[in-house]
Amino acid sequence: MEMLAVVVLAVFTAGYVVLAGADIGVGMLLPVLGRDPDERRVVIASFAPFFLGNEVWLVAVAGVMAGAFPGLEHDLLAGLFPLFAVLLVAWVVRDMGLWLRGRVDAAAWRRGCDTAIVAGSWGLALALASLLGTVLAGDPAGGLNAGSVLGLPLAGLLALHGAGFARMRCTGAVLERARRVPARYAVTAPLLVAVVAAAGARLPLDGAAAPGTGLAVTAVMTAVLLPLLLAAQALVWWTFRGRVDSPSYL
């Protein structure tokens, strides 16, 4: 049962990094891909149908970790609390910019929201990449260490991942700018999965699993819900599979 929980945790984590990493990467490159307010609206429209569903994977990661590996949750939060704090703040700032951008028809308002989107996306990328880098390079319970420096190249990989996503979704001048970035979604996605797998192999899981019933219930419930989440994600991607050339509801 513990192995099932480990597999489920790995799938949810990889799902978040790959899927949400795409919209985070696009947000990081918003000023590069969109040169004026109208183009930036189209850039945001490229991931607007997906970003809320992508965030569900992170919620699922937190749920599985709390239910199946409470010891691991405690060690990670205790050792890497500053990074988790940055991740949460950046998450709120980025989403606030996305939701509020179209609420006021004023250039200054839109510029402020665009700044929030870019800053929040970079904060998310750096915090997430530093978390993975610290786990890869050392003991996550020991606090920030030299491994957090790996956050810089890993954040760069997320930016490339976003550029590859934009190449699949955008048209016109935005697409041409995305093509200038040497990135392919089909290449960056497996690289991100490999990073997650390598980090997962370094996690101190011995003795971290919940006892008996708690572990079993969490593992079985998440294994049952995983196909539903995958089906919902596939439906959204199929529905919005075309390229975007106009703004969305955001």
Side-chain angles (χ1 to χ4, degrees):
M1 197 61 67
E2 183 174 341
M3 182 57 65
L4 175 60
V6 170
V7 171
V8 169
L9 180 61
V11 171
F12 278 132
T13 304
Y16 174 73
V17 172
V18 171
L19 295 174
D23 59 67
I24 292 171
V26 174
M28 295 167 73
L29 299 176
L30 181 61
V32 177
L33 297 175
R35 298 291 175 80
D36 58 49
D38 290 335
E39 286 185 349
R40 287 192 285 274
R41 289 180 70 191
V42 174
V43 173
I44 293 171
S46 69
F47 63 85
F50 309 110
F51 82 98
L52 283 178
N54 295 341
E55 290 173 347
V56 172
W57 293 80
L58 182 58
V59 176
V61 170
V64 173
M65 192 174 295
F69 300 102
L72 176 62
E73 180 196 25
H74 175 270
D75 290 343
L76 288 175
L77 285 175
L80 303 175
F81 180 79
L83 287 179
F84 280 105
V86 171
L87 188 150
L88 289 174
V89 170
W91 184 3
V92 171
V93 169
R94 194 279 299 259
D95 283 19
M96 178 184 67
L98 289 172
W99 283 114
L100 298 181
R101 190 181 191 276
R103 299 299 187 265
V104 177
D105 187 16
W109 177 267
R110 287 190 294 270
R111 284 195 298 270
C113 289
D114 289 346
T115 300
I117 293 169
V118 176
S121 297
W122 275 97
L124 266 170
L126 289 169
L128 180 61
S130 294
L131 282 168
L132 291 172
T134 301
V135 173
L136 276 169
D139 180 9
L144 298 178
N145 55 38
S148 61
V149 176
L150 287 172
L152 293 175
L154 290 178
L157 178 58
L158 287 173
L160 292 176
H161 190 54
F165 179 79
R167 291 171 67 128
M168 297 191 307
R169 295 282 295 156
C170 297
T171 58
V174 174
L175 174 59
E176 292 306 313
R177 294 187 196 107
R179 283 175 172 167
R180 295 172 191 165
V181 182
R184 288 287 193 280
Y185 190 88
V187 175
T188 54
L191 285 175
L192 288 171
V193 171
V195 170
V196 171
R202 299 277 290 172
L203 286 175
L205 294 175
D206 293 340
T213 306
L215 176 62
V217 170
T218 302
V220 172
M221 286 293 293
T222 50
V224 170
L225 292 175
L226 179 59
L228 299 178
L229 180 57
L230 290 172
Q233 196 84 42
L235 177 61
V236 172
W237 276 72
W238 175 257
T239 302
F240 298 98
R241 63 190 180 278
R243 293 181 179 271
V244 297
D245 54 11
S246 60
S248 69
Y249 63 92
L250 288 176

